[in-house]
Amino acid sequence: MKTTVVRAARLFDAIEGVILKDVDVAVRGDVIAEVGPGLRGDEVIDLGDRTLLPGFLDVHMHLTGMRSYAEARHLPPRETLAVRAAQDCAALLAAGFTTVRDCGSGIALNLRDLVADGTIPGPRIHAAGPVICQTGGHADAHHLPLDLARAQPDSLIADGPWACRQAVREAVRAGADFIKICTTGGVSSERDHPNDAHFTPEEIAAIVDEAHRLGRRVASHAQGRAGVLAAVLAGVDSIEHGYYLDDECVAEMAARGTFYVPTFDLRTFFQKTIDGGHGLPEWRLRKQREAIAAMGPSLLKAHEAGVLIATGSDYLGTPLRAHGDNADEPIALVGGGLPAAEALRALTVNAATVIGVEDRAGSLQPGRWADLVAVDGDPLADIEALRAVTFVMKDGRVHTAH
């Protein structure tokens, strides 16, 4: 089998969080065969004065196909959304994202299969499918009558422990790779608040037990303290957003190994849109102003407590949240106070561990998928280098090279 050696001046060791000099990566088929200096192969791709990294991961995003915020209430035809979302898959791959976790979109289940069989280019997709929430919860379409909201394909509304178990089974039946639930209200849902605690402890425990019994991890949309803590104590695998963390939350997360996906660059989005010039309603802008003040302290509190952090952009494909710009998230983490090495680990090995593919992705080691990205410059010295992607290989196949 042909061996291709990829060579660059620097390589980011995601396990140790350091830059190595003059280390090559040998690729055979779709996996990494060897890593070390002076490797030989049938073909050598010399990238010169660049940095090699593992393929990037975004573990909280949505392939919705939406292009404006008004479309949340008046969706275009599903076929239109699917074509747009396929374009987003190509943009993600070109930006170095070789694996993503879609945290709620019916379209993503189909896109996952189309990427896997080679019909369209894109990152490897782990998809939640429909999001599970309580009646009136964050994923409930509040603007619709309840019977129509229950019929929406991107959410499952459940109340009571047994109905929650059934919702998990329905999500798995639909093809979910993991389970996404909402244990608080949210910024973008009209009739609740991020500090509202959703689902009872018994309901959350039923969801987690059923999901784990069926071999699925659980990611919880949880912004306020009470809903975060309830989710962590019930055994969810990751907290998404976590805007209002306190010492008890981060202590329990650190002790239990609960991952934190802070979607921190949303703070930038919130700041850019609070002027009211982007068509967002005042009730949402009010909640955004509140969240901005809380997000920075929560991120640092989690980091200082030793909570494992992974990158999730929560990008949708809409203005200021366009797919292809997902490196905004690790860059924002550094702006929020994380060391560059930790932001890069959040983008690679930590994110792979959230999904459960750390033995296949997230680091450049023999036996891992041959997912390689090269950037101009040294991202450990200047995290902005993540925007300058010049080379992308996924599964041993070169998709971008310039």
Side-chain angles (χ1 to χ4, degrees):
M1 186 179 293
K2 176 182 174 182
T3 298
T4 299
V5 172
V6 183
R7 177 172 296 152
R10 295 168 297 276
L11 179 146
F12 178 67
D13 181 340
I15 303 299
E16 300 298 329
V18 298
I19 292 288
L20 305 177
K21 299 288 186 68
D22 301 315
V23 175
D24 304 338
V25 178
V27 172
R28 191 171 297 123
D30 60 358
V31 299
I32 295 172
E34 190 176 358
V35 179
L39 301 183
R40 295 184 178 183
D42 303 294
E43 178 187 9
V44 175
I45 301 175
D46 193 335
L47 299 172
D49 188 27
R50 290 171 175 156
T51 303
L52 275 177
L53 302 99
F56 304 159
L57 295 93
D58 185 334
V59 297
H60 187 124
M61 43 80 74
H62 302 270
L63 290 161
T64 65
M66 291 197 301
R67 293 293 184 262
S68 76
Y69 299 103
E71 289 181 348
R73 286 177 175 263
H74 305 287
L75 286 176
R78 203 133 178 106
E79 295 83 358
T80 299
L81 296 174
V83 171
R84 290 175 180 175
Q87 292 175 332
D88 290 338
C89 286
L92 281 159
L93 186 58
F97 286 85
T98 54
T99 304
V100 299
R101 186 178 67 153
D102 185 289
C103 281
S105 162
I107 292 173
L109 295 170
N110 302 112
L111 292 172
R112 173 194 63 196
D113 298 338
L114 291 171
V115 170
D117 68 16
T119 301
I120 61 172
R124 209 171 285 107
I125 299 170
H126 290 251
V131 177
I132 301 173
C133 74
Q134 67 177 42
T135 299
H138 177 64
D140 186 342
H142 295 182
H143 61 287
L144 295 176
L146 184 57
D147 59 335
L148 295 180
R150 291 186 184 279
Q152 296 304 297
D154 293 342
S155 63
L156 289 165
I157 300 172
D159 301 289
W162 282 107
C164 287
R165 285 185 184 272
Q166 180 175 338
V168 171
R169 294 172 185 176
E170 289 182 17
V172 171
R173 181 180 185 273
D177 296 309
F178 69 102
I179 301 300
K180 168 75 178 301
I181 66 172
C182 301
T183 59
T184 72
V187 169
S188 62
S189 42
E190 182 175 1
R191 296 175 186 170
D192 59 31
H193 189 275
N195 284 322
D196 294 344
H198 287 180
F199 284 131
T200 65
E202 293 78 13
E203 288 171 325
I204 304 171
I207 290 170
V208 172
D209 180 68
E210 191 67 23
H212 287 174
R213 191 179 66 84
L214 296 176
R216 303 307 196 275
R217 298 186 180 199
V218 181
S220 178
H221 162 104
Q223 297 179 353
R225 177 222 179 253
V228 168
L229 190 58
V232 172
L233 294 177
V236 303
D237 300 283
S238 65
I239 293 295
E240 315 293 314
H241 312 303
Y243 297 160
Y244 299 91
L245 302 182
D246 66 5
D247 291 340
E248 185 178 9
C249 288
V250 298
E252 290 290 348
M253 291 170 72
R256 295 166 182 265
T258 311
F259 269 91
Y260 179 34
V261 184
T263 62
F264 192 70
D265 189 59
L266 282 183
R267 189 175 70 162
T268 305
F269 169 77
F270 292 164
Q271 289 169 334
K272 288 181 176 179
T273 56
I274 57 174
D275 61 1
H278 294 268
L280 300 179
E282 178 54 37
W283 57 260
R284 175 168 176 164
L285 298 177
R286 181 181 66 254
K287 290 192 280 186
Q288 288 185 180
R289 294 185 192 100
E290 295 171 4
I292 287 170
M295 292 169 74
S298 289
L299 175 67
L300 293 179
K301 189 181 292 289
H303 174 60
E304 291 163 3
V307 175
L308 293 171
I309 296 172
T311 51
S313 65
D314 204 13
Y315 279 12
L316 308 171
T318 47
L320 302 181
R321 297 168 73 181
H323 289 304
D325 295 335
N326 306 61
D328 290 346
E329 179 65 15
I331 292 168
L333 291 177
V334 173
L338 258 63
E342 289 307 308
L344 291 174
R345 283 171 51 80
L347 178 68
T348 54
V349 64
N350 286 3
T353 306
V354 168
I355 295 176
V357 294
E358 65 274 18
D359 61 337
R360 306 304 310 276
S363 60
L364 298 178
Q365 298 184 77
R368 270 39 172 193
W369 289 317
D371 294 355
L372 285 74
V373 174
V375 301
D376 287 333
D378 178 354
L380 203 55
D382 180 6
I383 196 70
E384 290 280 347
L386 294 177
R387 301 190 195 279
V389 171
T390 59
F391 175 87
V392 179
M393 173 184 281
K394 178 192 167 205
D395 285 330
R397 178 183 172 189
V398 176
H399 289 268
T400 300
H402 54 78

